[in-house]
Amino acid sequence: MGACCVYPDEYKPRQPKSTPLFRLLDTHYEEFRNVYDERFSKRYGFWRPVVDEVVTKYRQCGDFHYGFARIRCKECGAEYRRAFSCKCRGFCPSCSKRKSLDLAIFLEEELFRPVPHRHWVWSVPKMLRLHFLHHRKLLPMLCRCAWHALTIFLHEALDRMNVFPGGILVPQTFGGMANWNPHVHALITDACCDRNGNIFPFPETGSADVHGIEKLFAGLVFKMLLEEGMISEELVENMNSWKHSGFSVHRGSSIKAEDEDSRKTLSEYISRAPFSLERMSFNEDSKNVVYRGEHFHPTLARNFDVSEPLEWIARITSHIPKKGTIYYGAYSQAWRGRERRQGILPTKPTELETDTSEEVRSSYSRRRRQEWAVLLKKVWDVDALKCPKCGGQMKVVSFIEQPSVIRRILKHLDLWEDPRPPPIPLEMVCEPDADYIPWQDDVPEIEVG
Ligand SMILES: [Zn+2]
Ligand SMILES: [Zn+2]
């Protein structure tokens, strides 16, 4: 028996082990760990335990030996299995993609207000970037500087103190070649509101104003780095005398309130993975990793980069994030909680679930179930809930997690690989996708109505 017995023909599983990233880590990760302190800690900072955790989870992602869900067609009884995924953002290419998509759906369904939005980017000069590599706590602080610079400008321009836009800010650490380049991406409402729910249009903002925000941002970043003892007053003075400060603020064009597609594209863009699997290749014989950038790289004077394996692992693992999206102003949790209490915002979905109204509840949970299917379809490229044999409804019938059961089933299907690793034993989260239905503790079965 072979894999065809596990999947109906159309259900080709993704092959995580065949990707260049998997092969690279499989052959070089242990060596990388052993030489890290000696070879890389000076340039990339102290070893971070989160790297081991994420890489180990990634190496188990999509591998049936670490558990799977059984999915069955209610009409014809056809059955297939789907391996658990690692859910690691910022490293595992397929899970990162799913997380971005999930964020885009969450923002669209539950957060965005019906007002125009705008994409903003704040970046820092080359000379200061390494501080953020060696001191990760500075990354969320960089977001705060960006937010403060914007709100100081707004309060002055509107001549009001207690009005705020809604902001979703993401600290990003990578440039086009997966090089270290800390900056802040944001989606900001192109309107402000006060605590009573009154809306104020965003003030007219020209390029001189954006330059002013840039200056405010530079000042706040310098202040932060001085307070943290990272830089000296002399350096600040010196950098302030430069013609081009190296700080930059980019303000994108306004996205109309009804333009859901552009908003979704941007939501996915600001939370995207640091590197793309499609652009990476690994040659085991010549021991080279080639990464093709999206654009021409001015410093390298070409649009691709060649690294030796350990160097490339150091580079991509440096982007494994600790903190993700941060919500500010009218999009902050505190603000939204207060608005709900005041009855300005509709009750949040988790509260709908405890609502006695059956109609409200079932329509909401049906929508989430459909989204679950959409997510699967988009990311795994299969319509997981539609039977490929008869087109009938499929449902998850169980999750197989116990090592002895996994072993028995895989042996029976002739899919067991002996001896099994595991790299570092880790508790596998019960998946797939339990957390796309946030209020359900366990997912007994999922059907599409
Ligand atoms: Zn069927
Ligand atoms: Zn994964």
Side-chain angles (χ1 to χ4, degrees):
M1 268 194 283
C4 59
C5 303
V6 185
Y7 307 91
D9 285 347
E10 293 82 350
Y11 280 85
K12 296 271 185 290
R14 67 197 175 98
Q15 303 279 348
K17 290 186 178 180
S18 66
T19 66
L21 180 62
F22 189 93
R23 287 186 288 110
L24 173 73
L25 295 169
D26 208 36
T27 46
H28 289 86
Y29 187 70
E30 273 67 32
E31 186 191 352
F32 167 71
R33 276 292 277 118
N34 291 335
V35 303
Y36 184 88
D37 286 343
E38 199 186 315
R39 266 195 68 186
F40 296 106
S41 59
K42 239 194 187 137
R43 270 188 300 142
Y44 287 93
F46 290 123
W47 175 254
R48 299 184 304 143
V50 66
V51 173
D52 258 345
E53 190 189 317
V54 167
V55 170
T56 304
K57 282 183 175 174
Y58 163 71
R59 290 168 75 181
Q60 300 177 353
C61 183
D63 185 338
F64 286 94
H65 291 77
Y66 297 99
F68 48 85
R70 287 175 53 218
I71 300 174
R72 187 186 293 154
C73 172
K74 291 208 293 194
E75 316 290 325
C76 72
E79 189 175 314
Y80 76 106
R81 294 163 175 81
R82 182 179 290 283
F84 293 157
S85 44
C86 71
K87 307 199 321 192
C88 289
R89 189 173 56 84
F91 192 76
C92 173
S94 67
C95 292
S96 293
K97 216 163 168 182
R98 262 166 106 162
K99 291 263 170 186
S100 295
L101 202 56
D102 196 26
L103 176 74
I105 290 176
F106 164 77
L107 295 178
E108 206 50 54
E109 300 280 331
E110 289 170 33
L111 195 87
F112 286 140
R113 305 287 185 80
V115 294
H117 284 72
R118 219 182 262 271
H119 180 209
W120 291 76
V121 187
W122 288 266
S123 38
V124 294
K126 270 193 185 141
M127 186 173 259
L128 301 178
R129 291 178 191 168
L130 281 184
H131 296 298
F132 297 86
L133 176 63
H134 295 280
H135 306 276
R136 305 285 170 136
K137 66 169 186 180
L138 295 177
L139 289 166
M141 290 161 82
L142 188 66
C143 289
R144 186 157 280 277
C145 292
W147 178 254
H148 273 170
L150 183 68
T151 49
I152 291 170
F153 161 76
L154 284 172
H155 291 161
E156 225 160 82
L158 291 169
D159 199 19
R160 284 170 189 275
M161 284 308 286
N162 290 318
V163 297
F164 291 92
I168 299 141
L169 279 72
V170 184
Q172 250 181 30
T173 54
F174 50 92
M177 294 290 184
N179 49 309
W180 184 257
N181 180 4
H183 54 288
V184 177
H185 276 276
L187 262 169
I188 310 263
T189 56
D190 229 13
C192 298
C193 70
D194 68 9
R195 287 171 201 278
N196 298 315
N198 301 310
I199 307 268
F200 302 87
F202 211 87
E204 288 279 327
T205 312
S207 59
D209 298 310
V210 175
H211 189 65
I213 296 171
E214 187 183 294
K215 283 197 137 178
L216 283 166
F217 176 59
L220 289 164
V221 173
F222 282 141
K223 184 167 174 277
M224 169 185 85
L225 293 174
L226 281 168
E227 281 171 5
E228 293 293 322
M230 308 281 167
I231 54 171
S232 65
E233 296 279 4
E234 291 72 43
L235 182 85
V236 175
E237 215 169 288
N238 181 9
M239 288 181 76
N240 273 332
S241 70
W242 294 357
K243 192 159 179 246
H244 298 289
S245 72
F247 286 92
S248 84
V249 174
H250 163 81
R251 170 177 167 271
S253 47
S254 186
I255 299 166
K256 288 197 180 100
E258 59 274 18
D259 189 355
E260 189 180 320
D261 286 347
S262 301
R263 243 181 351 250
K264 271 192 170 166
T265 306
L266 260 179
S267 304
E268 286 180 56
Y269 179 77
I270 67 172
S271 59
R272 74 194 190 283
F275 59 95
S276 148
L277 205 50
E278 289 76 38
R279 298 178 183 283
M280 174 185 161
S281 57
F282 169 48
N283 187 321
E284 265 147 287
D285 300 324
S286 57
K287 299 223 181 306
N288 271 340
V289 175
V290 176
Y291 192 74
R292 296 177 310 282
E294 217 168 322
H295 308 286
F296 184 80
H297 195 280
T299 319
L300 293 169
R302 54 176 191 242
N303 68 349
F304 66 92
D305 198 9
V306 185
S307 323
E308 61 96 13
L310 303 193
E311 178 64 41
W312 180 252
I313 297 175
R315 199 193 290 187
I316 56 175
T317 51
S318 73
H319 300 300
I320 291 175
K322 265 205 123 165
K323 211 165 167 68
T325 322
I326 311 173
Y327 302 93
Y328 283 102
Y331 282 159
S332 69
Q333 228 173 5
W335 189 293
R336 285 183 295 142
R338 189 176 40 72
E339 288 197 334
R340 269 192 294 275
R341 288 192 298 278
Q342 291 175 348
I344 298 173
L345 260 188
T347 321
K348 68 174 175 181
T350 43
E351 285 164 12
L352 285 180
E353 187 60 10
T354 55
D355 190 333
T356 47
S357 152
E358 192 60 42
E359 211 180 282
V360 170
R361 192 170 66 199
S362 69
S363 98
Y364 185 76
S365 59
R366 188 168 58 241
R367 203 184 71 219
R368 292 301 299 206
R369 281 201 300 266
Q370 283 163 353
E371 280 166 16
W372 187 81
V374 168
L375 281 162
L376 279 176
K377 187 177 180 180
K378 271 196 163 178
V379 180
W380 306 104
D381 210 25
V382 288
D383 187 354
L385 300 180
K386 195 170 148 239
C387 176
K389 276 192 178 163
C390 74
Q393 286 172 33
M394 306 279 286
K395 64 176 180 178
V396 174
V397 288
S398 62
F399 293 104
I400 311 295
E401 292 177 281
Q402 252 190 315
S404 59
V405 183
I406 294 170
R407 186 186 160 96
R408 204 173 62 231
I409 296 176
L410 293 189
K411 281 216 157 189
H412 174 74
L413 296 169
D414 203 15
L415 287 173
W416 180 260
E417 281 176 22
D418 234 1
R420 266 319 286 166
I424 300 167
L426 272 182
E427 199 182 301
M428 206 63 201
V429 192
C430 177
E431 250 226 312
D433 313 306
D435 58 347
Y436 291 123
I437 306 161
W439 59 86
Q440 283 192 357
D441 292 325
D442 53 342
V443 181
E445 58 179 53
I446 291 160
E447 300 168 41
V448 172

